[in-house]
Amino acid sequence: MRPENEAKLRKIRRISTLLRWVCKGLLALIVIGFVMATVALLANRGGSVGYFDVWFRIGDLTLGHRLLVLALSALTSAVWFMCIYHLHELFGNYSLGQIFTRGSVGHLRQLGIACVLWGAMKILWVGLSRALSANPLGPTQVSAEIIPIGIIILVVAWFMEMAVDLQEENELTV
């Protein structure tokens, strides 16, 4: 490999390792946030809980509604965790120099799926706020711009998968 390409690869590895640590921190924050929301909802000590732009005053919720909010919180946290986890694994592959591999393509595809699910969770939160609100004219705007971003990531993963196929075929014929 040429020296300038080796330098680029070292840079990719170094930055990927750093970003992987950032992902670890974000994963920890997701878990801590979910635990805090769970405790708040089950203890019913006041305050508010929610995700995105939709928040509920805990004191205004019945036990059934709090459990429904808790279930949606669990799903949302799982989607966020999935998104950051696959980003973490993708950076792990990059830190090993495995950029155009099937493993990297798989994590990129899962990241795209997680982004689409993230947008769906935003829509579900607005729906839940409308269902549980005494004023059904609550939030009317749903910002699910992450859905097209997820679709674009899926298309890029599809192109990368074809590129990996071409690269493998090329290596076999050389």
Side-chain angles (χ1 to χ4, degrees), residues 139-154:
T140 57
Q141 183 178 358
V142 179
S143 63
E145 66 279 347
I146 194 78
I147 292 175
I149 292 170
I151 292 169
I152 290 169
I153 291 172
L154 287 169

Side-chain angles (χ1 to χ4, degrees), residues 90-163:
L90 185 63
F91 287 134
N93 285 354
Y94 290 174
S95 69
L96 298 173
Q98 301 172 356
I99 298 167
F100 294 104
T101 63
R102 293 212 184 275
S104 294
V105 169
H107 290 300
L108 191 61
R109 183 181 305 110
Q110 291 300 315
L111 178 64
I113 291 168
C115 287
V116 171
L117 290 174
W118 187 334
M121 295 311 299
K122 289 177 133 183
I123 294 167
L124 286 175
W125 274 100
V126 170
L128 182 66
S129 74
R130 289 179 157 263
L132 299 183
S133 176
N135 178 11
L137 299 176
T140 57
Q141 183 178 358
V142 179
S143 63
E145 66 279 347
I146 194 78
I147 292 175
I149 292 170
I151 292 169
I152 290 169
I153 291 172
L154 287 169
V155 170
V156 169
W158 178 65
F159 281 123
M160 281 186 64
E161 185 172 27
M162 288 191 299

Side-chain angles (χ1 to χ4, degrees), residues 67-85:
L67 293 176
L68 189 58
V69 170
L70 180 61
L72 198 55
S73 295
L75 283 173
T76 303
S77 295
V79 168
W80 283 356
F81 197 90
M82 176 185 175
C83 187
I84 302 300
Y85 171 77

Side-chain angles (χ1 to χ4, degrees), residues 52-65:
F52 310 113
D53 295 334
V54 180
W55 289 82
F56 298 96
R57 284 179 21 110
I58 295 171
D60 295 345
L61 298 173
T62 65
L63 176 62
H65 290 164

